[in-house]
Amino acid sequence: AQSVTQLDSHVSVSEGTPVLLRCNYSSSYSPSLFWYVQHPNKGLQLLLKYTSAATLVKGINGFEAEFKKSETSFHLTKPSAHMSDAAEYFCVVTSGGYQKVTFGTGTKLQVIP
Amino acid sequence: SAVISQKPSRDICQRGTSLTIQCQVDSQVTMMFWYRQQPGQSLTLIATANQGSEATYESGFVIDKFPISRPNLTFSTLTVSNMSPEDSSIYLCSVVTGGETQYFGPGTRLLVL
């Protein structure tokens, strides 16, 4: 079985403070993990991906995520939030070469000026 | 990367009618997916549409309701048949490139009255 749990449906941070969006997964296979961002009324944009190379993955717009197999986690972080980061973020796990794709339920990030 | 376009971008339809959504990719891809994103929710996979084979539907989705065509490596259509208000949703086309990254189209916003 494969599943993704995004632990927070909403996260609110002040501009300039760190961002942490949490994602836990379960998979019977060696998974690939992704974070996507969806701005209001926009399509999904890939932020970063982990595919069994380096466990610390750097993405676009200053985001990064660390794959921790022992904790089955793939949390997304950013040192300093920007107003433009306000959006919904989805954690995604795939296995078997996209034979199985599972989306998390999403985390809405609010950035307060 | 892959650039994906969808037509129409949005539509308002009457119940009982059908709508065909087109997905065009700027490069040849083997793996193509159709997703649904209901208001305020995450993405749910409808079916996988690989060229050269019949579409594979996820649990809860059937070919009579969501027939799919995949005539070549750059194009696919999804039809939403005999629509009801419960079909109001965003429908997204997605592809996986050789780099094993999944890209998404901008979506088709469907409202059924």
Side-chain angles (χ1 to χ4, degrees):
Chain A
Q2 179 172 286
S3 67
V4 178
T5 302
Q6 291 186 242
L7 295 152
D8 307 292
S9 58
H10 290 82
V11 170
S12 183
V13 300
S14 297
E15 189 176 17
T17 65
V19 175
L20 170 64
L21 305 183
R22 298 182 294 168
C23 173
N24 286 100
Y25 72 93
S26 70
S27 177
S28 303
Y29 307 95
S30 296
S32 295
L33 293 150
F34 304 79
W35 276 99
Y36 286 85
V37 60
Q38 187 177 38
H39 287 91
N41 298 314
K42 300 284 188 184
L44 284 152
Q45 181 183 19
L46 178 68
L47 276 178
L48 49 80
K49 65 177 181 179
Y50 165 79
T51 55
S52 78
T55 56
L56 181 61
V57 182
K58 294 188 184 301
I60 61 171
N61 301 334
F63 284 95
E64 62 181 39
E66 186 171 7
F67 174 70
K68 292 187 177 180
K69 187 174 181 179
S70 61
E71 299 176 12
T72 61
S73 69
F74 191 58
H75 301 334
L76 182 70
T77 61
K78 182 174 181 178
S80 176
H82 192 273
M83 293 300 295
S84 60
D85 295 328
E88 187 157 22
Y89 292 78
F90 293 96
C91 182
V92 181
V93 60
T94 70
S95 59
Y98 284 94
Q99 287 189 25
K100 183 70 176 172
V101 180
T102 305
F103 269 74
T105 50
T107 298
K108 285 187 171 68
L109 176 65
Q110 179 186 22
V111 182
I112 302 168
Chain B
S1 65
V3 177
I4 305 169
S5 60
Q6 288 185 231
K7 289 182 182 179
S9 59
R10 60 180 67 236
D11 207 342
I12 301 173
C13 300
Q14 297 297 319
R15 68 175 67 206
T17 62
S18 297
L19 176 72
T20 295
I21 302 167
Q22 298 179 5
C23 176
Q24 181 75 52
V25 189
D26 68 341
S27 58
Q28 293 185 336
V29 293
T30 302
M31 301 183 73
M32 187 175 278
F33 306 89
W34 286 99
Y35 286 85
R36 182 173 73 182
Q37 186 178 23
Q38 294 183 301
Q41 297 190 24
S42 185
L43 277 74
T44 302
L45 181 63
I46 297 172
T48 302
N50 293 337
Q51 201 273 337
S53 61
E54 296 292 320
T56 303
Y57 290 82
E58 297 296 303
S59 175
F61 298 96
V62 295
I63 187 171
D64 289 346
K65 175 70 174 176
F66 297 101
I68 289 170
S69 78
R70 183 79 199 275
N72 57 52
L73 290 171
T74 63
F75 187 79
S76 178
T77 67
L78 170 76
T79 299
V80 186
S81 303
N82 188 24
M83 288 184 285
S84 67
E86 292 71 34
D87 294 320
S88 297
S89 199
I90 301 172
Y91 292 85
L92 296 108
C93 171
S94 169
V95 302
V96 173
T97 65
E100 298 186 350
T101 297
Q102 189 172 19
Y103 295 93
F104 290 85
T108 295
R109 284 164 173 75
L110 172 61
L111 176 63
V112 184
L113 303 177

